[in-house]
Amino acid sequence: MKQIHKSLIFLFTVISLSIFGQNDSRSIYGTGFNSVFKNLEYGNFSGTINGIVIIKDSENKKYLLDFQGSEAKLEIEKDDNEVYDISYKKYTAKTTSKKTTLKYKTYATANGLEIELNGEIFDLSLIDGACDLVINGLEYSYESEKNAEYLIIHFTKEVHLLNSYESKVRKKITIMPNSTIVFAINRNK
């Protein structure tokens, strides 16, 4: 009888955890960023960005963010506390029309994405207390050659970004699958 009682308690515990536990589909565990800039404490690097990001807003309006040879930059900012990493890496670029800004950030094995669209900032950042999660549906890889490094970001699933909690009206934009951008960052300052 005690064995059945213990088994039932265990079963209910497992069921409760699966129903009420934290299961955030926006993130998965990260494996790190294999960048040539990984071990730098600081620096500013220039480059270009190419690709397209397809967005739908909360009213189902579609936007095509075109990045065709637009100017890009990588800012490496030292983390004075060096908790999980020695620096933050911040990639920034504007669309071809220069009306929309995209920022991609990494720290330790976590990342974040921000898009300023129509004067409003939407973001999803997993750079937090643990810094071990990355955005689910955003795949990244690095390819490098003598004078440049290419950061390839490809979206395999819908990724939802929200505007600021301080906004009077909460809004969401969705980055659609098959959106792809490539940052080409010069390795020389």
XYZ file of all heavy atoms in Angstrom, residues 23-115:
744
model
N 7.791 26.377 -19.061
C 8.105 25.806 -20.364
C 7.947 26.918 -21.386
O 6.892 27.109 -21.945
C 7.177 24.627 -20.667
C 7.543 23.954 -21.964
O 8.593 24.226 -22.530
N 6.681 23.086 -22.444
N 8.989 27.676 -21.584
C 8.942 28.833 -22.460
C 9.424 28.422 -23.842
O 10.601 28.144 -24.029
C 9.810 29.946 -21.884
C 9.640 31.248 -22.610
O 8.983 31.274 -23.665
O 10.166 32.251 -22.120
N 8.528 28.385 -24.797
C 8.887 27.941 -26.145
C 9.694 28.992 -26.907
O 10.149 28.736 -28.011
C 7.630 27.586 -26.929
O 6.810 28.724 -27.075
N 9.884 30.180 -26.328
C 10.656 31.229 -26.996
C 12.150 30.977 -26.926
O 12.921 31.621 -27.612
C 10.359 32.590 -26.379
C 8.925 33.032 -26.495
C 8.685 34.348 -25.802
N 9.099 34.228 -24.403
C 9.339 35.258 -23.603
N 9.212 36.482 -24.054
N 9.708 35.068 -22.363
N 12.587 30.049 -26.072
C 14.014 29.878 -25.867
C 14.415 28.413 -25.836
O 13.604 27.533 -25.556
C 14.430 30.543 -24.551
O 13.762 29.925 -23.468
N 15.691 28.187 -26.151
C 16.321 26.876 -26.014
C 17.709 27.117 -25.419
O 18.208 28.249 -25.420
C 16.426 26.135 -27.368
C 17.186 26.995 -28.396
C 15.062 25.751 -27.895
C 17.449 26.297 -29.722
N 18.341 26.064 -24.932
C 19.679 26.238 -24.361
C 20.686 26.537 -25.460
O 20.676 25.915 -26.513
C 20.114 25.002 -23.563
C 19.450 24.966 -22.211
C 18.364 24.149 -21.984
C 19.904 25.784 -21.183
C 17.729 24.135 -20.750
C 19.279 25.796 -19.957
C 18.196 24.962 -19.744
O 17.571 24.968 -18.535
N 21.552 27.505 -25.193
C 22.563 27.919 -26.164
C 23.823 27.092 -26.055
O 24.088 26.462 -25.035
N 24.594 27.125 -27.125
C 25.858 26.387 -27.143
C 27.054 27.311 -27.295
O 28.180 26.843 -27.378
C 25.865 25.364 -28.295
O 25.656 26.065 -29.521
C 24.797 24.310 -28.111
N 26.812 28.610 -27.354
C 27.909 29.549 -27.498
C 28.012 30.113 -28.899
O 27.290 29.694 -29.804
N 28.898 31.069 -29.059
C 29.050 31.776 -30.321
C 30.491 31.627 -30.775
O 31.403 32.121 -30.141
C 28.655 33.245 -30.143
C 27.255 33.393 -29.613
C 27.022 33.646 -28.280
C 26.171 33.229 -30.461
C 25.728 33.758 -27.795
C 24.870 33.327 -29.982
C 24.655 33.590 -28.648
N 30.686 30.933 -31.858
C 32.013 30.609 -32.363
C 32.530 31.729 -33.262
O 32.815 31.524 -34.427
C 31.956 29.274 -33.111
C 33.326 28.747 -33.394
O 34.283 29.107 -32.735
N 33.430 27.895 -34.398
N 32.649 32.904 -32.696
C 33.067 34.084 -33.444
C 34.544 34.379 -33.227
O 35.075 34.145 -32.136
C 32.235 35.289 -32.975
O 32.759 36.484 -33.497
N 35.191 34.929 -34.254
C 36.581 35.356 -34.082
C 36.674 36.542 -33.127
O 37.746 36.828 -32.601
C 37.247 35.721 -35.441
C 37.340 34.499 -36.337
C 36.539 36.859 -36.130
N 35.559 37.210 -32.881
C 35.527 38.359 -31.971
C 35.210 37.939 -30.530
O 35.130 38.777 -29.640
C 34.477 39.373 -32.436
C 34.722 39.913 -33.815
C 33.953 39.509 -34.884
C 35.731 40.832 -34.045
C 34.171 40.009 -36.155
C 35.972 41.342 -35.314
C 35.189 40.922 -36.379
N 35.036 36.669 -30.306
C 34.568 36.132 -29.021
C 35.399 36.595 -27.828
O 34.849 36.943 -26.782
C 34.565 34.606 -29.099
C 34.151 33.909 -27.842
C 34.188 32.406 -28.037
C 33.849 31.696 -26.765
N 33.881 30.250 -26.934
N 36.702 36.594 -27.942
C 37.557 36.884 -26.789
C 38.049 38.331 -26.714
O 38.944 38.630 -25.936
C 38.747 35.920 -26.779
C 38.288 34.495 -26.552
O 37.392 34.244 -25.758
N 38.882 33.557 -27.275
N 37.434 39.205 -27.507
C 37.818 40.616 -27.436
C 37.037 41.308 -26.322
O 35.856 41.053 -26.124
C 37.546 41.326 -28.762
C 38.375 40.860 -29.961
C 38.000 41.666 -31.203
C 39.862 40.985 -29.678
N 37.713 42.211 -25.609
C 37.062 42.950 -24.529
C 36.328 44.183 -25.030
O 35.353 44.611 -24.440
C 38.090 43.371 -23.479
C 38.662 42.219 -22.703
C 39.634 42.674 -21.643
O 40.083 43.854 -21.681
O 39.966 41.855 -20.773
N 36.849 44.789 -26.088
C 36.239 46.004 -26.620
C 36.667 46.185 -28.063
O 37.626 45.578 -28.525
C 36.613 47.229 -25.784
C 38.101 47.436 -25.652
C 38.806 48.163 -26.600
C 38.808 46.871 -24.597
C 40.172 48.324 -26.498
C 40.169 47.027 -24.484
C 40.850 47.755 -25.435
O 42.204 47.904 -25.336
N 35.938 47.049 -28.769
C 36.304 47.362 -30.143
C 35.090 47.745 -30.957
O 33.950 47.431 -30.598
N 35.345 48.460 -32.049
C 34.306 48.855 -32.995
C 34.752 48.418 -34.382
O 35.863 48.730 -34.809
C 34.088 50.371 -32.969
C 33.486 50.823 -31.667
O 32.427 50.358 -31.277
N 34.168 51.725 -30.967
N 33.871 47.700 -35.065
C 34.185 47.155 -36.374
C 33.056 47.504 -37.335
O 31.890 47.549 -36.946
C 34.362 45.643 -36.290
C 35.475 45.229 -35.367
C 35.234 45.059 -34.012
C 36.757 45.033 -35.841
C 36.254 44.694 -33.145
C 37.786 44.672 -34.988
C 37.539 44.495 -33.630
N 33.406 47.732 -38.589
C 32.397 48.094 -39.588
C 32.213 46.946 -40.561
O 33.016 46.028 -40.631
C 32.815 49.366 -40.334
O 34.020 49.121 -41.043
N 31.132 47.051 -41.328
C 30.861 46.027 -42.325
C 29.569 46.323 -43.059
O 29.120 47.478 -43.116
N 28.973 45.281 -43.600
C 27.714 45.415 -44.330
C 26.759 44.317 -43.872
O 27.151 43.367 -43.195
C 27.928 45.292 -45.849
O 28.528 44.020 -46.124
C 28.794 46.413 -46.386
N 25.508 44.477 -44.290
C 24.494 43.465 -44.031
C 23.706 43.251 -45.313
O 23.473 44.197 -46.070
C 23.558 43.879 -42.860
C 22.568 42.752 -42.532
C 22.845 45.175 -43.158
C 21.734 43.007 -41.288
N 23.332 42.009 -45.563
C 22.497 41.644 -46.701
C 21.411 40.705 -46.224
O 21.579 39.993 -45.237
C 23.325 40.944 -47.788
C 24.134 41.926 -48.585
O 23.586 42.676 -49.382
N 25.434 41.957 -48.355
N 20.304 40.700 -46.926
C 19.242 39.758 -46.625
C 17.891 40.432 -46.515
O 17.721 41.607 -46.861
N 16.940 39.651 -46.021
C 15.573 40.149 -45.891
C 14.956 39.562 -44.618
O 15.201 38.405 -44.274
C 14.727 39.791 -47.128
C 13.387 40.489 -47.079
C 14.578 38.299 -47.292
C 12.639 40.463 -48.392
N 14.192 40.391 -43.918
C 13.437 39.955 -42.750
C 11.967 40.223 -43.048
O 11.586 41.347 -43.373
C 13.885 40.693 -41.470
C 13.021 40.286 -40.275
C 15.358 40.431 -41.181
N 11.163 39.172 -42.965
C 9.730 39.271 -43.234
C 9.010 39.356 -41.896
O 9.199 38.498 -41.033
C 9.239 38.041 -44.022
C 10.091 37.846 -45.280
C 7.759 38.162 -44.360
C 10.056 36.442 -45.828
N 8.198 40.399 -41.737
C 7.521 40.649 -40.464
C 6.023 40.771 -40.689
O 5.581 41.331 -41.691
C 8.047 41.951 -39.819
C 9.492 41.767 -39.375
C 7.189 42.378 -38.645
C 10.099 42.987 -38.757
N 5.271 40.271 -39.719
C 3.837 40.538 -39.649
C 3.569 41.217 -38.325
O 4.097 40.810 -37.290
C 3.022 39.250 -39.745
C 2.912 38.699 -41.140
C 1.914 37.578 -41.208
C 1.827 37.045 -42.630
N 0.926 35.896 -42.708
N 2.746 42.270 -38.348
C 2.398 42.929 -37.094
C 1.127 42.318 -36.516
O 0.551 41.379 -37.087
C 2.301 44.447 -37.259
C 1.148 44.914 -38.129
O 0.240 44.124 -38.442
O 1.150 46.103 -38.494
N 0.672 42.839 -35.386
C -0.487 42.274 -34.700
C -1.776 42.439 -35.499
O -2.768 41.777 -35.219
C -0.636 42.877 -33.309
O -0.607 44.280 -33.386
N -1.769 43.315 -36.502
C -2.943 43.491 -37.362
C -2.787 42.710 -38.673
O -3.509 42.927 -39.623
C -3.166 44.975 -37.632
C -3.494 45.740 -36.354
C -3.488 47.250 -36.556
O -3.186 47.729 -37.676
O -3.769 47.944 -35.585
N -1.787 41.831 -38.719
C -1.494 40.971 -39.862
C -0.957 41.734 -41.076
O -0.988 41.213 -42.193
C -2.713 40.130 -40.250
C -2.335 38.680 -40.419
O -1.251 38.255 -40.029
N -3.233 37.920 -41.012
N -0.476 42.952 -40.872
C 0.165 43.706 -41.946
C 1.582 43.170 -42.130
O 2.302 42.942 -41.164
C 0.210 45.198 -41.606
C 0.803 46.028 -42.715
C 0.764 47.511 -42.385
C 1.410 48.294 -43.518
N 1.533 49.710 -43.199
N 1.958 42.969 -43.384
C 3.249 42.382 -43.709
C 4.263 43.472 -44.064
O 3.947 44.412 -44.781
C 3.077 41.424 -44.878
C 4.251 40.546 -45.165
C 3.866 39.577 -46.286
C 4.941 38.588 -46.564
N 4.548 37.659 -47.622
N 5.481 43.319 -43.559
C 6.597 44.215 -43.862
C 7.753 43.379 -44.384
O 8.039 42.306 -43.854
C 7.092 44.943 -42.607
C 6.100 45.870 -41.970
C 5.174 45.400 -41.038
C 6.087 47.226 -42.276
C 4.267 46.253 -40.440
C 5.186 48.095 -41.669
C 4.277 47.593 -40.760
O 3.390 48.443 -40.158
N 8.427 43.871 -45.411
C 9.651 43.256 -45.904
C 10.798 44.203 -45.579
O 10.880 45.292 -46.136
C 9.578 43.012 -47.408
C 8.487 42.063 -47.891
C 8.478 41.999 -49.408
C 8.664 40.680 -47.295
N 11.645 43.800 -44.661
C 12.801 44.613 -44.300
C 13.970 44.176 -45.170
O 14.469 43.060 -45.052
C 13.133 44.442 -42.812
C 11.994 44.725 -41.830
C 12.492 44.579 -40.402
C 11.386 46.098 -42.061
N 14.386 45.068 -46.047
C 15.381 44.793 -47.069
C 16.744 45.314 -46.614
O 16.896 46.498 -46.339
C 14.917 45.496 -48.351
C 15.909 45.395 -49.479
O 16.792 44.519 -49.433
O 15.800 46.194 -50.420
N 17.705 44.421 -46.522
C 19.081 44.784 -46.167
C 19.976 44.363 -47.317
O 20.455 43.229 -47.366
C 19.519 44.045 -44.899
C 18.699 44.354 -43.684
C 17.593 43.579 -43.363
C 19.028 45.406 -42.849
C 16.836 43.837 -42.235
C 18.277 45.675 -41.718
C 17.181 44.893 -41.414
N 20.207 45.250 -48.269
C 21.032 44.918 -49.431
C 22.265 45.799 -49.461
O 22.242 46.907 -49.975
C 20.219 45.069 -50.723
C 19.019 44.141 -50.806
C 19.389 42.679 -50.625
O 20.388 42.193 -51.157
N 18.591 41.972 -49.846
N 23.321 45.308 -48.842
C 24.570 46.056 -48.806
C 24.533 47.253 -47.884
O 25.359 48.156 -47.998
N 23.598 47.254 -46.951
C 23.505 48.362 -45.997
C 24.689 48.339 -45.036
O 25.289 47.296 -44.784
C 22.202 48.261 -45.187
O 21.085 48.343 -46.024
N 24.998 49.489 -44.496
C 26.082 49.619 -43.536
C 25.723 48.887 -42.245
O 24.591 48.940 -41.776
C 26.312 51.103 -43.251
C 27.490 51.397 -42.379
C 27.676 52.885 -42.176
O 27.669 53.628 -43.176
O 27.810 53.300 -41.011
N 26.694 48.198 -41.676
C 26.510 47.486 -40.410
C 27.722 47.755 -39.526
O 28.785 48.148 -40.015
C 26.357 45.993 -40.647
N 27.528 47.527 -38.241
C 28.663 47.672 -37.326
C 28.552 46.662 -36.198
O 27.469 46.172 -35.878
C 28.760 49.099 -36.780
C 27.592 49.544 -35.943
C 27.772 50.977 -35.499
C 26.546 51.457 -34.742
N 26.700 52.825 -34.286
N 29.700 46.354 -35.634
C 29.804 45.508 -34.457
C 30.496 46.329 -33.382
O 31.617 46.787 -33.580
C 30.599 44.229 -34.757
C 31.048 43.417 -33.540
C 29.861 42.910 -32.729
C 31.946 42.262 -33.973
N 29.809 46.499 -32.270
C 30.390 47.187 -31.114
C 30.607 46.149 -30.020
O 29.678 45.432 -29.652
C 29.463 48.270 -30.594
C 29.236 49.404 -31.579
C 28.198 50.383 -31.061
O 27.000 50.074 -31.167
O 28.614 51.442 -30.547
N 31.829 46.081 -29.549
C 32.159 45.160 -28.457
C 32.384 46.007 -27.215
O 33.241 46.890 -27.202
C 33.397 44.315 -28.796
C 33.118 43.509 -30.074
C 33.755 43.404 -27.634
C 34.306 42.744 -30.592
N 31.573 45.728 -26.202
C 31.589 46.523 -24.973
C 32.041 45.645 -23.811
O 31.426 44.614 -23.520
C 30.176 47.054 -24.720
C 30.029 47.911 -23.495
C 28.585 48.336 -23.319
O 27.982 48.862 -24.273
O 28.060 48.124 -22.216
N 33.094 46.043 -23.148
C 33.662 45.267 -22.035
C 32.644 45.129 -20.906
O 31.958 46.077 -20.550
C 34.916 45.951 -21.520
C 35.609 45.202 -20.389
C 36.926 45.834 -20.035
C 37.651 45.256 -18.865
N 37.496 43.885 -18.566
N 32.560 43.933 -20.347
C 31.774 43.698 -19.139
C 32.743 43.810 -17.961
O 33.561 42.916 -17.741
C 31.114 42.318 -19.168
C 30.324 42.017 -17.901
O 30.171 42.924 -17.051
O 29.853 40.878 -17.752
N 32.655 44.903 -17.235
C 33.572 45.132 -16.119
C 33.455 44.063 -15.036
O 34.410 43.809 -14.307
C 33.345 46.523 -15.514
C 33.753 47.626 -16.473
O 34.698 47.421 -17.256
O 33.116 48.700 -16.454
N 32.298 43.444 -14.924
C 32.100 42.412 -13.900
C 32.516 41.026 -14.372
O 32.759 40.146 -13.558
C 30.627 42.383 -13.464
C 30.212 43.705 -12.866
O 30.944 44.309 -12.101
N 29.036 44.171 -13.238
N 32.574 40.816 -15.681
C 32.950 39.538 -16.281
C 32.266 38.363 -15.593
O 32.899 37.386 -15.199
C 34.467 39.350 -16.255
C 35.189 40.293 -17.181
C 36.667 39.995 -17.327
O 37.067 38.819 -17.202
O 37.422 40.947 -17.566
N 30.953 38.452 -15.471
C 30.205 37.388 -14.812
C 30.216 36.111 -15.638
O 30.622 35.056 -15.164
C 28.760 37.847 -14.515
C 27.957 36.731 -13.880
C 28.768 39.081 -13.628
N 29.755 36.181 -16.898
C 29.710 35.005 -17.766
C 30.551 35.185 -19.023
O 30.810 34.224 -19.737
C 28.271 34.705 -18.200
C 27.374 34.317 -17.056
C 26.381 35.178 -16.622
C 27.516 33.093 -16.420
C 25.543 34.825 -15.570
C 26.689 32.731 -15.374
C 25.703 33.599 -14.953
O 24.890 33.249 -13.915
N 30.920 36.405 -19.346
C 31.644 36.704 -20.578
C 32.473 37.952 -20.318
O 32.215 38.702 -19.372
C 30.639 36.957 -21.712
C 31.234 36.804 -23.106
O 32.477 36.809 -23.241
O 30.460 36.697 -24.067
N 33.451 38.201 -21.168
C 34.277 39.394 -20.980
C 33.684 40.627 -21.662
O 34.077 41.744 -21.371
C 35.726 39.169 -21.463
C 35.770 38.821 -22.951
C 36.406 38.099 -20.634
C 37.173 38.771 -23.529
N 32.716 40.398 -22.588
C 32.145 41.544 -23.300
C 30.801 41.204 -23.930
O 30.464 40.042 -24.122
C 33.119 42.026 -24.388
O 33.370 40.985 -25.315
N 30.070 42.277 -24.228
C 28.815 42.194 -24.984
C 29.142 42.483 -26.440
O 29.915 43.394 -26.734
C 27.821 43.252 -24.502
C 27.368 43.055 -23.073
C 28.079 43.612 -22.015
C 26.220 42.324 -22.788
C 27.658 43.434 -20.705
C 25.792 42.150 -21.478
C 26.520 42.704 -20.452
O 26.098 42.524 -19.150
N 28.554 41.720 -27.366
C 28.737 41.966 -28.788
C 27.416 42.476 -29.337
O 26.387 41.815 -29.191
C 29.136 40.689 -29.534
C 30.587 40.261 -29.311
C 30.810 39.737 -27.959
C 32.177 39.098 -27.741
N 32.311 38.621 -26.365
N 27.432 43.667 -29.954
C 26.209 44.296 -30.455
C 26.353 44.602 -31.942
O 27.142 45.462 -32.341
C 25.932 45.591 -29.693
C 25.744 45.381 -28.203
C 25.582 46.711 -27.475
C 25.515 46.491 -25.975
N 25.394 47.753 -25.239
N 25.583 43.881 -32.750
C 25.547 44.090 -34.197
C 24.377 45.016 -34.512
O 23.267 44.781 -34.029
C 25.333 42.758 -34.926
C 26.443 41.752 -34.731
C 26.498 40.956 -33.592
C 27.425 41.587 -35.700
C 27.501 40.014 -33.421
C 28.434 40.644 -35.537
C 28.469 39.869 -34.388
O 29.465 38.939 -34.229
N 24.614 46.045 -35.327
C 23.562 47.001 -35.652
C 23.580 47.300 -37.139
O 24.654 47.432 -37.740
C 23.768 48.326 -34.879
O 23.878 48.046 -33.488
C 22.620 49.284 -35.101
N 22.376 47.430 -37.722
C 22.259 47.793 -39.139
C 20.902 48.426 -39.386
O 19.954 48.222 -38.627
C 22.429 46.567 -40.021
N 20.834 49.192 -40.459
C 19.576 49.784 -40.905
C 19.186 49.165 -42.240
O 20.040 48.709 -42.989
C 19.702 51.299 -41.054
C 19.818 52.032 -39.732
C 19.794 53.530 -39.954
C 19.913 54.281 -38.659
N 18.662 54.511 -38.006
N 17.893 49.188 -42.513
C 17.413 48.697 -43.801
C 17.954 49.573 -44.924
O 18.495 50.655 -44.677
C 15.876 48.695 -43.846
O 15.413 50.002 -43.513
C 15.285 47.670 -42.906
N 17.780 49.120 -46.151
C 18.240 49.876 -47.314
C 17.631 51.282 -47.316
O 18.304 52.255 -47.652
C 17.875 49.113 -48.608
O 18.399 47.787 -48.499
C 18.462 49.777 -49.828
N 16.371 51.387 -46.910
C 15.694 52.692 -46.861
C 16.112 53.526 -45.648
O 15.758 54.696 -45.560
C 14.178 52.491 -46.817
O 13.803 51.908 -45.581
N 16.831 52.925 -44.721
C 17.291 53.550 -43.474
C 16.141 53.897 -42.522
O 16.317 54.649 -41.577
C 18.156 54.772 -43.743
C 19.394 54.462 -44.567
C 20.409 55.557 -44.490
C 21.638 55.337 -45.306
N 22.171 54.069 -45.522
N 14.959 53.341 -42.749
C 13.796 53.630 -41.910
C 13.676 52.685 -40.716
O 13.004 53.003 -39.743
C 12.513 53.547 -42.737
C 12.393 54.626 -43.779
C 11.107 54.493 -44.548
C 10.983 55.578 -45.603
N 9.770 55.423 -46.406
N 14.309 51.534 -40.785
C 14.174 50.529 -39.737
C 15.553 50.076 -39.280
O 16.444 49.876 -40.100
C 13.362 49.313 -40.247
O 12.107 49.777 -40.728
C 13.138 48.289 -39.165
N 15.713 49.907 -37.964
C 16.982 49.474 -37.390
C 16.843 48.080 -36.800
O 15.852 47.768 -36.146
C 17.426 50.448 -36.271
O 17.529 51.763 -36.820
C 18.756 50.053 -35.679
N 17.853 47.257 -37.028
C 17.914 45.918 -36.445
C 19.160 45.842 -35.580
O 20.235 46.273 -35.994
C 17.979 44.870 -37.552
C 18.052 43.422 -37.088
C 17.129 42.551 -37.925
C 19.465 42.882 -37.137
N 18.998 45.294 -34.363
C 20.132 45.074 -33.463
C 20.108 43.627 -32.999
O 19.061 43.104 -32.616
C 20.055 45.986 -32.243
C 20.217 47.457 -32.573
C 20.156 48.319 -31.336
C 20.299 49.784 -31.726
N 20.215 50.664 -30.567
N 21.262 42.999 -33.052
C 21.421 41.629 -32.578
C 22.542 41.635 -31.559
O 23.618 42.181 -31.813
C 21.756 40.701 -33.755
C 22.001 39.275 -33.339
C 20.951 38.457 -32.932
C 23.278 38.741 -33.344
C 21.174 37.145 -32.544
C 23.515 37.432 -32.969
C 22.454 36.641 -32.561
O 22.683 35.339 -32.173
N 22.306 41.047 -30.378
C 23.275 41.092 -29.291
C 23.594 39.686 -28.811
O 22.715 38.811 -28.801
C 22.721 41.894 -28.115
C 22.367 43.328 -28.449
C 21.749 44.006 -27.256
C 20.279 44.171 -27.543
N 19.516 44.855 -26.541
N 24.834 39.482 -28.374
C 25.220 38.222 -27.747
C 25.997 38.501 -26.471
O 26.689 39.533 -26.352
C 26.079 37.347 -28.679
O 27.333 37.993 -28.935
C 25.367 37.050 -29.982
N 25.869 37.585 -25.529
C 26.641 37.630 -24.281
C 26.637 36.211 -23.717
O 25.578 35.598 -23.599
C 26.019 38.596 -23.275
C 26.777 38.664 -21.970
C 27.926 39.426 -21.867
C 26.355 37.940 -20.864
C 28.641 39.487 -20.681
C 27.059 37.994 -19.677
C 28.203 38.763 -19.582
O 28.915 38.814 -18.405
N 27.799 35.692 -23.395
C 27.945 34.311 -22.929
C 27.307 33.396 -23.976
O 27.685 33.458 -25.135
C 27.354 34.133 -21.545
N 26.321 32.587 -23.594
C 25.640 31.737 -24.584
C 24.209 32.204 -24.811
O 23.346 31.421 -25.220
C 25.648 30.258 -24.151
O 25.018 30.148 -22.882
C 27.056 29.707 -24.081
N 23.932 33.482 -24.549
C 22.584 34.039 -24.732
C 22.599 35.075 -25.849
O 23.633 35.631 -26.194
C 22.104 34.683 -23.435
N 21.400 35.333 -26.399
C 21.306 36.358 -27.435
C 20.021 37.167 -27.290
O 19.134 36.817 -26.503
C 21.427 35.754 -28.841
C 20.341 34.748 -29.174
O 19.399 34.534 -28.428
N 20.473 34.123 -30.324
N 19.956 38.239 -28.034
C 18.791 39.106 -28.042
C 18.649 39.769 -29.396
O 19.621 39.903 -30.142
N 17.422 40.156 -29.714
C 17.132 40.774 -30.997
C 16.202 41.952 -30.774
O 15.259 41.855 -29.976
C 16.474 39.749 -31.922
C 16.115 40.203 -33.325
C 17.374 40.499 -34.129
C 15.294 39.125 -34.022
N 16.472 43.042 -31.456
C 15.652 44.252 -31.338
C 15.424 44.834 -32.721
O 16.355 44.907 -33.526
C 16.384 45.267 -30.455
C 15.697 46.582 -30.303
C 16.526 47.549 -29.461
O 16.805 47.237 -28.284
O 16.924 48.602 -30.001
N 14.186 45.233 -32.986
C 13.855 45.898 -34.245
C 13.096 47.168 -33.923
O 12.109 47.145 -33.178
C 13.011 44.989 -35.163
C 13.849 43.789 -35.606
C 12.495 45.768 -36.378
C 13.112 42.786 -36.464
